[in-house]
Amino acid sequence: DADVTQTPRNRITKTGKRIMLECSQTKGHDRMYWYRQDPGLGLRLIYYSFDVKDINKGEISDGYSVSRQAQAKFSLSLESAIPNQTALYFCATSVAGTGELFFGEGSRLTVL
Amino acid sequence: KNQVEQSPQSLIILEGKNCTLQCNYTVSPFSNLRWYKQDTGRGPVSLTIMTFSENTKSNGRYTATLDADTKQSSLHITASQLSDSASYICVVSPGGSYIPTFGRGTSLIVHP
């Protein structure tokens, strides 16, 4: 089983729908992140959390919200999806000190 | 503003040939620099980590260099294989509670 698991792996939805992407990890890491990846733009940070009671906006948080339900779970929500949110979304974890990020397999979201 | 610039944006080489990817950064403070490999449709995976005091580090056919004075790093791939076809991402971490800064990546295609 993967250490960082994302669900769903693929999702097609319509404009205006609410979408939730879920991430769970078995690595025991405190820090969790949500990134989106678009061709030519690389990975951009949406939100991050350094522990259960800590939530921080990244560089592109508009239109997104997150919930850290437990140390192992970090969910990303799109309250009203729009086509330019079509992208590949990655969840990642890390520990303080090393800085190494461990990524999930990604969730491909298409908004029609 | 912290920035990481990678070049070239894309690169095509023949199997068996060597290549070098470049990374320039303006991240401060500096804790470490990592190179990640991202296969198509997968999450990035760390290849190497370079700290301030390290100049060169190898991981099989991958050799990373760091010049902390000029704030430049390179990733050299020796005797390329088809499986090296991927995106290579340079990530610089300030350390502590700061979040890492990502480059946009270099897309490498290895042709038989």
Side-chain angles (χ1 to χ4, degrees):
Chain A
D1 290 341
D3 293 326
V4 183
T5 302
Q6 294 184 229
T7 56
R9 294 292 313 280
N10 289 282
R11 181 73 183 269
I12 300 173
T13 190
K14 295 182 179 180
T15 298
K17 295 293 186 181
R18 183 178 188 274
I19 296 296
M20 179 180 286
L21 306 180
E22 299 184 335
C23 177
S24 63
Q25 52 119 344
T26 58
K27 300 191 73 68
H29 292 169
D30 287 327
R31 299 183 176 191
M32 298 188 74
Y33 310 78
W34 275 105
Y35 289 89
R36 70 174 276 177
Q37 188 172 40
D38 301 276
L41 294 181
L43 286 152
R44 292 182 292 166
L45 184 63
I46 306 172
Y47 271 95
Y48 63 102
S49 168
F50 282 178
D51 64 46
V52 175
K53 298 180 181 180
D54 176 72
I55 299 290
N56 303 282
K57 293 182 178 180
E59 60 181 299
I60 55 164
S61 59
D62 288 349
Y64 302 95
S65 62
V66 291
S67 173
R68 185 81 184 266
Q69 302 95 324
Q71 186 209 35
K73 296 185 181 295
F74 193 36
S75 299
L76 176 71
S77 294
L78 289 68
E79 295 301 325
S80 180
I82 56 177
N84 76 0
Q85 290 177 314
T86 293
L88 184 56
Y89 291 84
F90 285 100
C91 174
T93 71
S94 74
V95 293
T98 70
E100 181 176 1
L101 292 162
F102 295 86
F103 288 84
E105 291 296 292
S107 295
R108 184 169 296 280
L109 176 66
T110 302
V111 184
L112 302 176
Chain B
K1 179 181 179 182
N2 290 338
Q3 287 188 316
V4 176
E5 301 289 340
Q6 291 188 243
S7 62
Q9 184 174 359
S10 62
L11 183 62
I12 300 174
I13 62 174
L14 291 176
E15 187 179 13
K17 297 297 186 181
N18 304 334
C19 66
T20 300
L21 313 180
Q22 301 289 344
C23 173
N24 296 337
Y25 63 92
T26 57
V27 177
S28 181
F30 175 86
S31 175
N32 62 68
L33 181 150
R34 288 184 184 272
W35 284 92
Y36 286 80
K37 179 186 180 187
Q38 183 179 20
D39 293 318
T40 301
R42 307 292 297 274
V45 176
S46 179
L47 285 174
T48 66
I49 177 175
M50 306 288 290
T51 58
F52 186 86
S53 60
E54 296 175 306
N55 298 120
T56 303
K57 183 173 286 186
S58 293
N59 178 4
R61 294 180 295 102
Y62 300 101
T63 300
T65 65
L66 175 66
D67 185 332
D69 291 331
T70 61
K71 298 186 177 181
Q72 296 180 325
S73 176
S74 66
L75 180 68
H76 185 75
I77 303 175
T78 303
S80 61
Q81 300 176 358
L82 298 179
S83 59
D84 292 331
S85 295
S87 179
Y88 293 83
I89 305 169
C90 177
V91 181
V92 181
S93 293
S97 297
Y98 297 99
I99 58 174
T101 301
F102 281 69
R104 294 188 176 188
T106 292
S107 176
L108 174 66
I109 298 174
V110 180
H111 279 311

